[in-house]
Amino acid sequence: MPEVYHNYIRGRWVPARSGAVFESINPATGEVLGICARSGPEDVAEAVAAAKEAFPKWRKVPAPRRAEILYRAAELLVRRKEHYARLMTMEMGKILLESRGDVQEAIDMTYFLAGEGRRLHGYTTPSEMPNKAAYCVRQPVGVVGVITPWNFPFAIPSWKIIPALVCGNTVVYKPAPEVPILGVEFVRLLEEAGLPPGVLNLVLGGDDAGAALVAHPDVRLISFTGSTEVGLQVAERCARMGKRVSLEMGGKNAAIVMEDADLDLVADALTWSAFGTTGQRCTACSRIVVHPKVHGDVADVLVDRARRLRLGNGLDPETEVGPLVSAAQLEKVERYVRIGQEERAVVLVGGERATEGALARGFFFRPTVFDRVHPRMRIAQEEIFGPVVDLIRAETLEEAIQIVNDVPYGLSASIFTRDIYKAMRAIEDLDTGIVYVNHGTIGAEVHLPFGGTKFTGNGHREGGLQVLDVFTEWKSVYIDYSGRLQRAQIDLEPVTFKLEGSA
Ligand code: NAD
């Protein structure tokens, strides 16, 4: 019998009130991995009540002490990295190498942000009045609702939950329904590290549980990562309720390959960016904008690489590309390949499900390269989120930049060139939150801000110290020790004084 996974509310593991459940499925084999609580609004309400009760206590715990718990969590992550990685490969499908990277990102983020427990800097500044002190400090926001997608089951929750906690907020976490067991494991880890009850609560379930969390009046901030379609609905609801909301949404990332690029590097980097994680990274490269002089070479090498990639169960060390996460995702990718063909783009390789042998049991799709793609085709404009990449020609750097920018999204872009002038021009003019030079579109590090422009985000950044602005409110403090009323902007005495012996 598969294990049963519960919600975590008020420091206790409890089933959904209704008793409803759903299955977690291994996308490589179809095996049922666990039976999970399907939460409704009543479970969300209990979790929010617990977080609300814990907030006044947690915010008073000195930040360095809060951070000690997070350091312990980081140490547990290090110790159990292999265990979590294997589980991730089983539940989400990405290959073991990448699952280890996902856990490593959570380790990096947890150490990095636990360090903020001894910083969380505000600043002091002179007042415009004499005998008056002025400074500002960060304050926690309150109960935070964290809603995450399935593609980075440890990294993404760590980007949100760890900064939320170090800043003194309490959290209700709703992971994606594709990866509930990893959600449970992440919370167990923090429980074991010593988080007091109510500080972090978990509600497993689907979209309705997410919607209930967004709609709950006691949740002060929603931190959401997922599709643009859902993110905008979340933002609309939050706006009406006067809530803070931080959104990380879809992408349509692109790499520019100029005529002077190192083509061996391009082959390695773009095979990885387009087909790594089966194209299911928010920063995956889905468009290659290429100079006509090297177009043929780039197409040949990518087709060759795509054809040779070994598909299979990610637990097998030989596997290079795992399955898509779900039947729905597989159908979406298939649909987009059909759309591309109807738009008269040409499939150079792939373009179909992979069903030979054991692959028939999972959600496998062959790495696919489209050629003759016009930048305004739907396959060049809309997020596919699978192992599909478009080749688009551009005669000049200006045209290439214009094509990269001409999509609704703006997460990540890259340029391959040996010419410093072209690289600098691209860095300046690409309208994305992340730019790489001579590197694919993936590979962010935790201590730099992460996020995108246009419909990829709403102006916030995760990662870096910038994430602290999501999870704190600023409080400005004035201490007047003059002993009299001093009115700012009004009681401004002229700056005059005399020295002994002066006129
Ligand atoms: P999704 O939008 O379908 O779901 C994301 C989360 O929102 C899930 O937990 C889901 O249950 C929940 N949800 C769905 N409807 C909701 C509603 N009405 N109210 C509240 N919550 C709701 O996305 P997904 O399929 O899980 O993930 C893939 C998407 O995530 C892609 O578009 C990808 O680009 C994006 N993504 C973006 C980033 C980034 O940093 N920009 C990172 C990873 C993934």
Side-chain angles (χ1 to χ4, degrees):
M1 267 297 280
E3 197 177 325
V4 176
Y5 294 88
H6 293 319
N7 290 334
Y8 183 68
I9 298 175
R10 225 170 259 280
R12 290 183 27 234
W13 294 94
V14 290
R17 273 284 169 107
S18 68
V21 291
F22 66 102
E23 291 177 341
S24 167
I25 295 196
N26 182 331
T29 63
E31 175 200 0
V32 176
L33 297 172
I35 308 290
C36 308
R38 180 185 288 282
S39 308
E42 61 286 2
D43 303 298
V44 170
E46 275 183 36
V48 173
K52 189 179 175 190
E53 199 182 321
F55 176 62
K57 299 189 171 71
W58 181 243
R59 74 183 283 273
K60 292 283 190 188
V61 175
R65 304 298 315 279
R66 297 196 292 254
E68 282 169 18
I69 298 173
L70 303 180
Y71 278 125
R72 277 203 295 278
E75 283 156 22
L76 290 172
L77 275 166
V78 170
R79 221 178 299 148
R80 299 197 194 129
K81 181 172 169 180
E82 197 57 25
H83 162 75
Y84 293 134
R86 291 187 78 79
L87 189 59
M88 191 176 295
T89 293
M90 287 166 70
E91 193 173 41
M92 185 270 163
K94 65 172 92 175
I95 64 170
L96 208 42
L97 182 83
E98 295 176 4
S99 291
R100 290 188 190 114
D102 191 318
V103 180
Q104 186 59 45
E105 195 166 318
I107 293 169
D108 295 345
M109 188 59 92
T110 307
Y111 276 128
F112 171 57
L113 280 166
E116 282 312 297
R118 287 195 184 267
R119 284 184 294 266
L120 278 183
H121 294 308
Y123 59 90
T124 60
T125 186
S127 162
E128 64 192 44
M129 299 297 191
N131 301 316
K132 190 175 167 191
Y135 66 95
C136 56
V137 288
R138 290 184 184 276
Q139 298 278 290
V141 179
V143 177
V144 173
V146 167
I147 301 175
T148 54
W150 40 263
N151 63 338
F152 278 87
F154 265 38
I156 292 180
S158 79
W159 295 355
K160 297 171 182 301
I161 293 172
I162 303 299
L165 294 178
V166 81
C167 291
N169 303 283
T170 54
V171 173
V172 177
Y173 170 36
K174 208 293 287 171
E178 292 83 356
V179 289
I181 300 177
L182 291 161
V184 166
E185 290 282 337
F186 194 81
V187 171
R188 275 184 186 160
L189 165 92
L190 281 154
E191 179 191 34
E192 201 179 324
L195 271 191
V199 172
L200 172 61
N201 304 273
L202 173 76
V203 283
L204 301 175
D207 305 351
D208 46 345
L213 188 55
V214 173
H216 198 294
D218 289 336
V219 175
R220 289 297 314 140
L221 157 64
I222 292 289
S223 173
F224 170 90
T225 298
S227 61
T228 297
E229 190 192 351
V230 174
L232 294 181
Q233 287 170 28
V234 168
E236 201 177 322
R237 187 75 205 235
C238 287
R240 272 204 232 104
M241 297 181 77
K243 291 185 189 200
R244 287 170 78 149
V245 59
S246 155
L247 304 172
E248 298 287 344
M249 305 185 285
K252 192 70 190 173
N253 314 295
I256 297 173
V257 181
M258 295 309 297
E259 69 273 35
D260 61 345
D262 173 342
L263 294 188
D264 290 333
L265 176 61
V266 167
D268 288 344
L270 294 188
T271 303
W272 170 234
S273 285
F275 306 127
T277 325
T278 323
Q280 301 172 114
R281 282 183 183 236
C282 45
T283 50
C285 177
S286 69
R287 298 176 296 151
I288 300 174
V289 184
V290 57
H291 192 276
K293 267 196 191 148
V294 290
H295 178 178
D297 292 340
V298 171
D300 288 348
V301 73
L302 272 181
V303 167
D304 180 51
R305 293 292 186 94
R307 191 167 282 138
R308 286 195 282 126
L309 286 169
R310 284 185 297 269
L311 272 61
N313 188 328
L315 290 180
D316 177 349
E318 298 288 297
T319 299
E320 292 169 296
V321 178
L324 289 155
V325 74
S326 62
Q329 202 59 30
L330 179 63
E331 280 154 24
K332 183 179 176 198
V333 173
E334 245 185 341
R335 198 165 60 245
Y336 268 105
V337 168
R338 267 201 310 277
I339 289 169
Q341 287 166 324
E342 282 159 20
E343 288 177 311
R344 294 178 182 273
V346 175
V347 173
L348 295 181
V349 65
E352 56 181 9
R353 292 181 187 215
T355 53
E356 60 273 19
L359 298 185
R361 293 207 299 272
F363 310 125
F364 290 93
F365 198 86
R366 295 196 193 290
T368 300
V369 179
F370 265 117
D371 199 5
R372 304 217 191 151
V373 178
H374 185 277
R376 298 301 299 176
M377 285 179 182
R378 281 184 66 191
I379 56 164
Q381 288 286 319
E382 298 173 20
E383 187 182 52
I384 301 174
F385 225 55
V388 179
V389 70
D390 305 332
L391 286 169
I392 304 173
R393 283 164 79 107
E395 304 282 339
T396 62
L397 177 63
E398 287 65 33
E399 188 190 351
I401 291 173
Q402 194 268 330
I403 290 170
V404 173
N405 288 344
D406 183 26
V407 290
Y409 304 105
L411 186 53
S412 176
S414 85
I415 180 164
F416 290 85
T417 179
R418 292 177 167 112
D419 182 335
I420 184 73
Y421 298 100
K422 289 188 177 125
M424 293 306 292
R425 174 63 48 227
I427 291 167
E428 215 171 291
D429 291 345
L430 287 168
D431 186 7
T432 52
I434 307 167
V435 174
Y436 292 97
V437 177
N438 293 328
H439 193 286
T441 53
I442 64 183
E445 299 178 29
V446 300
H447 50 303
L448 278 83
F450 181 94
T453 61
K454 298 187 273 185
F455 281 97
T456 292
N458 66 339
H460 294 288
R461 290 292 182 268
E462 296 191 329
L465 293 180
Q466 287 73 4
V467 72
L468 301 177
D469 288 332
V470 171
F471 291 103
T472 55
E473 297 273 11
W474 281 108
K475 180 179 279 177
S476 298
V477 182
Y478 301 96
I479 306 170
D480 193 316
Y481 51 97
S482 66
R484 62 190 171 93
L485 174 65
Q486 299 195 93
R487 293 170 297 181
Q489 294 90 37
I490 293 171
D491 297 329
L492 298 172
E493 286 163 20
V495 182
T496 56
F497 50 75
K498 285 187 183 159
L499 297 182
E500 240 173 86
S502 67

